[in-house]
Structures are given as structure tokens and as C-alpha cells.
Amino acid sequence: MDNHHATGLARRLGLGALIFYGIGDILGAGIYALVGKVAAIAGPSAWISFAISGMLALVTGLTYAELSSRVPKSGGAAAFVAGAFDNRALSFMTGFFVLASGITSTAAVSLAIYGYLDVFIDLPPLLTAFGLIALISLVSFWGIKQSANINMV
């Protein structure tokens, strides 16, 4: 009798939920947190910054779409590097840098949200940021479907 079972991640999100999840993530993380800062620096030319960023994001998205069709494995950029170079160290470094960029982004968004909450509640910035990160982490650990539903709301 074979004791080996096929394992993998269960698909919990459909295409529509995944699209809304991505849009909600981008809007929550980038647009609401950065528009004021960009406008303060770029002034009336802020739209040029966003147009260039949008074009770069489009190229990045199309690149990921192409790579994911060629390397249909979970792991994102680390899996793409592993498939292209067959180098575990390089793949590990890629995964590590993706993790580091996620942590940096989360910290930046948490501090930006603190700026919004500071108008209503007087709390220290680090306490607010860590509290938000803890809340987001709990929702993420709860499940992707629940996280997507909360994100859509």
C-alpha cells in the first residue's frame, strides 16, 4: 500500500475574487498611502509619476504572466529563478529579497495608516503599526478566502 499522498495547496479563490483581492491590495497599500506624498513632491506633475509607474507595473504584470505560464509552480520569483538558472542559492536569495520587500512594504503601509488613525486616536506610531501588522497577520493566518472577503469589504 502506498503511503504517499499528493499534497498541495487547495484552490480557494476564483478569478474574480483574486482580481478584487489584488486591486484591494494595491489600492490599500499604494494609492491611499502615497498620493499625498507624491503630490507634495511632484506637484501638478504627479500624474506623470503615476503614468510611468502604471506602465512599469503593466510590464511587470505581463512578465509574471508569461513566467507563470512557463513555470507553473508556486513560489513566484524564486521558482522562476530556480527554473531559469537551476541554482538553489540564487533562488533562495531571490525568495529572501521578495520577503524583505514584503516586510518593508508592510512597514511603510502600516506607518501610512497610522497617519490616518492619528487624527482620531492618539497612540504611539510603533504601537499602531505593530498592532495593524498583528491584525493583518491574524486575518492572513485565518485563511485566504477570509482575507480576500475582508479585503473586498
Side-chain angles (χ1 to χ4, degrees):
M1 179 176 270
D2 186 15
N3 288 333
H4 298 285
H5 301 290
T7 60
L9 296 174
R11 186 171 295 211
R12 298 283 184 220
L13 298 178
L15 179 62
L18 190 59
I19 289 171
F20 279 111
Y21 186 75
I23 290 171
D25 197 29
I26 291 166
L27 287 177
I31 300 298
Y32 297 126
L34 298 177
V35 170
K37 301 248 186 223
V38 171
I41 294 168
S45 300
W47 69 271
I48 296 171
S49 302
F50 287 108
I52 292 170
S53 297
M55 286 187 280
L56 291 173
L58 176 66
V59 171
T60 302
L62 292 173
T63 302
Y64 266 93
E66 173 71 19
L67 288 171
S68 64
S69 69
R70 292 178 184 247
V71 183
K73 295 181 179 180
S74 62
F80 302 151
V81 169
F85 298 106
D86 195 28
N87 184 324
R88 289 182 63 142
L90 192 57
S91 178
F92 174 81
M93 283 180 19
T94 303
F96 177 79
F97 288 130
V98 168
L99 175 65
S101 70
I103 291 170
T104 305
S105 299
T106 302
V109 169
S110 297
L111 290 173
I113 291 175
Y114 159 77
Y116 288 115
L117 292 178
D118 189 44
V119 174
F120 303 108
I121 303 169
D122 188 27
L123 292 172
L126 286 178
L127 178 66
T128 306
F130 280 121
L132 181 65
I133 290 170
L135 179 65
I136 291 169
S137 297
L138 287 173
V139 171
S140 295
F141 292 139
W142 185 18
I144 187 64
K145 189 167 185 129
Q146 292 81 359
S147 180
N149 289 339
I150 289 171
N151 196 4
M152 281 190 265
V153 168

